[in-house]
Amino acid sequence: MGGFDKYIPAMAMFALQFGYAGVALSTRAALLQGMSPRVFVVYRQAIATLVIAPLAYFTRRKSGGCSMGLRSFTLIFLASLIGVAINQNVYFEGLYLASSTMASAMGNLVPAVTFLIASILGLEKVNIRSLRSIAKILGTILCVSGAMSMALLKGPKLFNAEHLPDNSLFGSGGDNWLLGCVLLFLSCCCWSIWLILQVPASASYPDHLSLSAWMCFMATIQSAIITLFLEKDLEAWKLSTGLELGCCFFSGVIGSGISFFVQAWCVSQRGPLFSAMFNPLGTVIVTILAALFLQEKIYTGGLVGAVGVVIGLYILLWGKAKDIIEVKEEIDPKLQKSTQGKQVDNSLEKESYKIDLEEPLLSDQSSSS
């Protein structure tokens, strides 16, 4: 049985990619049917809060939990506002204006954007003489270039066409492909800032399950306020079809509830790099299913750009993997000998995963402290 257990994290991540694809496609279908992207964000976060909050409450009662000070509240508030409320409003607006395929492909930019922002802020040190730094820079350039290719160089249309209803703040979806791509890129930036904010937030409030529940709760309130200002039609709050209702519950439970536990467990078992490596698989799944079921347009420029993003992502992850190896070597000098054919000690692997999780794409800072 032990031989089979080592494949469980990979199987879980594989299944999770289908879950993410289902969330993207069902949301896209509901938006095309007329559901407001702003209202959808509110309902999704509210459902996610109802899923996570009871689990966090009972877990906190057993463990005793930790108190929330002003610093913790401020960090959680900012993380909720930038990483959830603004991020999801921008993301689903971009998903509506562009396509589910583009949204899924753009998600692969998050590690590159995080590295870029962290470098600008001085949180990630760049040494052009270091092979891992060169790999991360090259991976970032390929990711951004691929995204620009997808947005600007559509090329010949391979197959499918679609007509979008006028359900966006910016008018007709078909006339705003480039704007949708820009919004999806801004969503990646928000998510990257959220990742960076996780470092001080987790240090200030180390109860991760309770932290997630508070973020979902605050994001629900923040998203509701944003929607009340932007959505003037009160009828938009009504879920008139079963698809819209089912989409809200599916994305809230699967996209925010179950996926949280699956991701957290896989990261604890194999580390965040292992989890990130499955993102391109989700892009492939969404592209195929969106073309088959939603009749989304597929362009040659989009395919070439998507390949560039995926290649850049893996180069960037390879450079990041070099960071983890250095962290492992600092944890215990004996680890260097174990990499020469001996089995790596599990406790050292778990510790290196923990360090990498606490400092996502900011390993130079963690290794120097």
Side-chain angles (χ1 to χ4, degrees):
M1 185 66 181
F4 177 76
D5 288 345
K6 65 182 181 180
Y7 296 108
I8 293 180
M11 296 170 60
M13 286 303 305
F14 185 82
L16 189 61
Q17 297 307 314
F18 278 94
Y20 286 147
V23 170
L25 295 175
S26 61
T27 303
R28 172 77 169 165
L31 295 178
L32 291 176
Q33 199 175 72
M35 183 173 62
S36 168
R38 282 77 59 191
V39 172
F40 168 74
V41 172
V42 178
Y43 287 146
R44 170 175 173 162
Q45 288 308 311
I47 294 172
T49 302
L50 294 176
V51 171
I52 298 178
L55 298 174
Y57 174 76
F58 289 112
T59 303
R60 185 181 177 86
R61 285 188 61 183
K62 292 181 180 180
S63 63
C66 54
S67 59
M68 180 185 297
L70 179 61
R71 172 181 168 80
S72 300
F73 177 83
T74 302
L75 290 171
I76 294 174
F77 180 87
L78 289 175
S80 303
L81 180 63
I82 298 173
V84 184
I86 296 177
N87 172 40
Q88 290 200 3
N89 272 279
V90 172
Y91 172 82
F92 288 112
E93 193 73 43
L95 172 67
Y96 172 76
L97 292 174
S99 67
S100 53
T101 301
M102 175 65 74
S104 178
M106 283 286 190
N108 295 315
L109 283 174
V110 172
V113 175
T114 305
F115 168 71
L116 184 61
I117 294 177
S119 300
I120 294 174
L121 296 178
L123 300 175
E124 181 91 19
K125 296 179 181 178
V126 178
N127 181 8
I128 59 175
R129 296 181 179 179
S130 170
L131 183 60
R132 60 185 175 84
S133 290
I134 295 175
K136 288 187 284 187
I137 293 173
L138 179 60
T140 300
I141 293 174
L142 283 175
C143 282
V144 175
S145 299
M148 292 178 63
S149 173
M150 294 178 68
L152 302 176
L153 305 176
K154 286 185 177 182
K157 183 173 63 178
L158 297 181
F159 55 88
N160 285 345
E162 61 180 339
H163 172 70
L164 301 182
D166 189 3
N167 189 42
S168 170
L169 289 172
F170 304 97
S172 173
D175 299 331
N176 288 284
W177 169 273
L178 181 58
L179 178 58
C181 295
V182 172
L183 291 175
L184 290 173
F185 179 76
L186 290 177
S187 172
C188 291
C189 294
C190 290
W191 189 250
S192 297
I193 294 173
W194 180 85
L195 286 175
I196 294 175
L197 286 174
Q198 289 304 293
V199 178
S202 298
S204 179
Y205 195 78
D207 188 343
H208 298 295
L209 188 57
S210 180
L211 176 66
S212 299
W214 275 110
M215 283 188 184
C216 289
F217 174 70
M218 290 185 184
T220 302
I221 298 176
Q222 293 164 347
S223 300
I225 295 174
I226 293 174
T227 304
L228 288 174
F229 276 100
L230 298 180
E231 195 65 65
K232 305 300 181 182
D233 185 11
L234 295 180
E235 290 294 319
W237 291 88
K238 293 176 58 177
L239 300 178
S240 55
T241 65
L243 174 61
E244 296 177 358
L245 180 63
C247 175
C248 291
F249 274 95
F250 183 76
S251 61
V253 175
I254 302 296
S256 299
I258 295 178
S259 67
F260 169 78
F261 293 102
V262 174
Q263 284 273 21
W265 181 78
C266 288
V267 166
S268 68
Q269 296 296 312
R270 293 291 187 268
L273 282 182
F274 175 84
S275 175
M277 288 175 64
F278 284 83
N279 289 346
L281 174 62
T283 302
V284 174
I285 295 172
V286 169
T287 301
I288 295 174
L289 295 181
L292 293 176
F293 296 105
L294 296 183
Q295 299 297 304
E296 286 190 355
K297 295 176 285 187
I298 305 296
Y299 295 95
T300 54
L303 289 179
V304 173
V307 171
V309 170
V310 171
I311 294 176
L313 172 65
Y314 281 126
I315 294 176
L316 177 61
L317 292 178
W318 181 84
K320 179 60 180 173
K322 291 294 184 181
D323 284 345
I324 296 181
I325 291 175
E326 291 186 4
V327 172
K328 287 180 179 179
E329 292 175 349
E330 290 185 6
I331 293 173
D332 195 329
K334 295 180 180 180
L335 186 62
Q336 189 173 8
K337 296 181 180 180
S338 68
T339 57
Q340 299 175 357
K342 296 182 179 180
Q343 185 177 3
V344 179
D345 183 72
N346 290 333
S347 63
L348 293 177
E349 286 191 5
K350 293 293 182 66
E351 186 65 22
S352 66
Y353 295 158
K354 180 181 177 182
I355 290 178
D356 189 44
L357 180 62
E358 290 175 349
E359 304 282 346
L361 286 176
L362 309 177
S363 60
D364 285 327
Q365 183 190 30
S366 64
S367 61
S368 62
S369 59

